[in-house]
Amino acid sequence: MCTSIQMKSSDGGILFARTMDWHAFAPSPITAPKNYQWHSSFNNDLITNSYSILGVGRNFVDRHADISDGVNEFGLAVQKLTFSNASQYNQKAESGKIALAPFEFVLWLLGNCQSVAEVIVKLNQVQLMTDEFALYKYGRADLHFSATDPTGRLISIEPLNGILVVKENPIGVVTNAPKLEREIEKLGDYLDLTDEKRGLNQISSGNFSGKSVFPGGFTPTTRFIRATVLKERAITPINEKSNVIETWHILNSVTVPKSDGRSDTYTIYRSAVDVKSKTLYFQAYDNFGIQTYRFPD
C-alpha cells in the first residue's frame, strides 16, 4: 500500500509526503553521511555514495542502511512504494552495471544523484535484481519509486520487463496501482483535468458540478482519487509550517488503521521532507506528535 503526495506552498516550498503502509517494523529517522560506503546485497560490490542523506528507514545488522524515503543535500527527494505485484526485475547482472536489490535503490539514488534530471540520466547504470542468484537472500518486494526536487518536477520510476521506466507525474499523487495513466484517466469521474493552472496544487478547472463524490476504502485507486480531490480543494499553504499542517490533514484521509480481519498491514508511519529547507517530518503510528529533523551539517 502507501500513498505519496507532493504539495507546494506560496513561499516556494515543496513538501514531499507519504504514508508507509506495511507489516510491522521499527522505522526511525536515519542519516547516511557523504562518502557512506556499503555493499550491494546482490553481489557484495562496494558502493560509495557521494552525497549525504536524511530519511526514514532502519539499519540492517552487518549490512547497511535501508532508506524508504528521504532527501539529500541537493534537495532531491525519493520514496519507495509497493507496486501491486507488477514489478519485473532482472535475474542475471549485466556487465558494467550496478546490480542492486530493489530495496537498495533509494539509498543509491539519494547518494549519487543531485536532481530528477540526473536520476533519469543515470538510470541506465543500474539494474534491480531478483535474489535468485544473489549472495544475500532478500526475498521479493514489489516496488516502484517516486522522485522530486526543488524544480517541482515529479516522476515515477517503474521496474517493467527488467527496465526502469520513467513516467512524468502531473498529478502530484502516487499510490500502488500499476499504469499511472489509467489511474489518471479514472479521475475524470471526479474532476475536469486541465493544463490551465488555478493555483500551485490545482490540476482541474475547479468545476465539480455533476461529478461523483470521492470514494471511501483503502484500495490504491480509491486512495489515489481521494488524495487527489482533497489536494485539489485544499487551500494553498503560505509557508512550510502551513504546508505540513494541510498535507497532514490530507494524509489523514488515506491513513490505514490496524485491523483484526482485513490485513496485517497498516500505516506504520507518515513522513514528509521539504526539498527547499531539507527538513524531515516524521510521525509513527502510535505517536500523536510530529517530530522534526533538520538536515545534518
Side-chain angles (χ1 to χ4, degrees):
M1 300 178 74
C2 306
T3 305
S4 171
I5 301 171
Q6 183 204 63
M7 280 280 282
K8 300 174 182 177
S9 55
S10 57
D11 66 350
I14 299 174
L15 199 71
F16 198 35
R18 61 96 50 85
T19 62
M20 167 55 83
D21 305 335
W22 194 237
H23 313 280
F25 72 95
S28 64
I30 189 171
T31 60
K34 188 178 295 188
N35 299 319
Y36 177 74
Q37 292 189 319
W38 52 287
H39 291 269
S40 163
S41 296
F42 180 78
N43 54 18
N44 212 38
D45 278 0
L46 178 65
I47 298 171
T48 302
N49 283 357
S50 297
Y51 312 127
S52 53
I53 303 167
L54 171 64
V56 180
R58 52 185 168 172
N59 276 306
F60 285 127
V61 177
D62 300 326
R63 293 303 298 156
H64 55 68
D66 173 20
I67 296 179
S68 299
D69 48 89
V71 64
N72 71 12
E73 61 188 275
F74 293 94
L76 173 68
V78 183
Q79 303 171 346
K80 62 183 177 185
L81 302 89
T82 53
F83 197 38
S84 297
N85 301 314
S87 302
Q88 298 166 318
Y89 304 127
N90 297 277
Q91 290 183 327
K92 296 183 179 180
E94 183 178 333
S95 177
K97 290 197 174 185
I98 301 167
L100 300 176
F103 77 88
E104 297 172 326
F105 193 39
V106 173
L107 176 62
W108 186 85
L109 287 173
L110 289 174
N112 295 280
C113 300
Q114 297 184 16
S115 65
V116 168
E118 187 175 7
V119 166
I120 294 171
V121 169
K122 288 188 172 180
L123 284 183
N124 62 2
Q125 299 179 16
V126 180
Q127 287 182 293
L128 300 189
M129 314 299 297
T130 70
D131 72 350
E132 183 174 355
F133 301 106
L135 292 178
Y136 298 89
K137 296 301 181 182
Y138 40 81
R140 177 172 178 84
D142 285 291
L143 299 173
H144 66 150
F145 309 87
S146 193
T148 192
D149 64 21
T151 69
R153 187 178 184 182
L154 178 64
I155 61 169
S156 292
I157 304 170
E158 300 179 355
L160 302 173
N161 296 316
I163 299 171
L164 294 170
V165 177
V166 174
K167 296 182 178 180
E168 301 287 343
N169 187 330
I171 305 301
V173 174
V174 185
T175 56
N176 321 105
K179 297 187 179 179
L180 175 63
E181 304 89 340
R182 185 172 60 190
E183 296 300 282
I184 294 174
E185 183 178 343
K186 293 175 183 177
L187 291 174
D189 291 335
Y190 304 91
L191 43 78
D192 293 320
L193 297 175
T194 177
D195 291 331
E196 297 181 9
K197 287 288 186 182
R198 294 189 299 114
L200 290 174
N201 301 303
Q202 280 67 46
I203 55 173
S204 83
S205 65
N207 179 18
F208 295 93
S209 178
K211 294 294 183 180
S212 301
V213 176
F214 60 73
F218 293 105
T219 67
T221 295
T222 57
R223 285 182 285 108
F224 184 85
I225 292 168
R226 194 157 63 245
T228 301
V229 173
L230 289 174
K231 182 171 177 278
E232 179 73 19
R233 293 184 170 184
I235 65 168
T236 299
I238 60 172
N239 53 32
E240 186 172 335
K241 179 180 179 181
S242 172
N243 205 355
V244 173
I245 292 170
E246 298 308 320
T247 300
W248 237 252
H249 282 293
I250 297 174
L251 290 179
N252 285 341
S253 75
V254 292
T255 295
V256 181
K258 291 181 179 180
S259 171
D260 283 333
R262 183 191 57 83
S263 170
D264 65 347
T265 62
Y266 63 97
T267 299
I268 296 169
Y269 70 83
R270 305 189 293 184
S271 68
V273 292
D274 187 286
V275 302
K276 296 291 183 73
S277 70
K278 296 184 285 293
T279 303
L280 168 68
Y281 299 92
F282 174 79
Q283 183 184 30
Y285 181 88
D286 57 357
N287 194 325
F288 283 119
I290 301 173
Q291 299 169 288
T292 303
Y293 297 86
R294 305 295 177 187
F295 201 86
D297 293 333

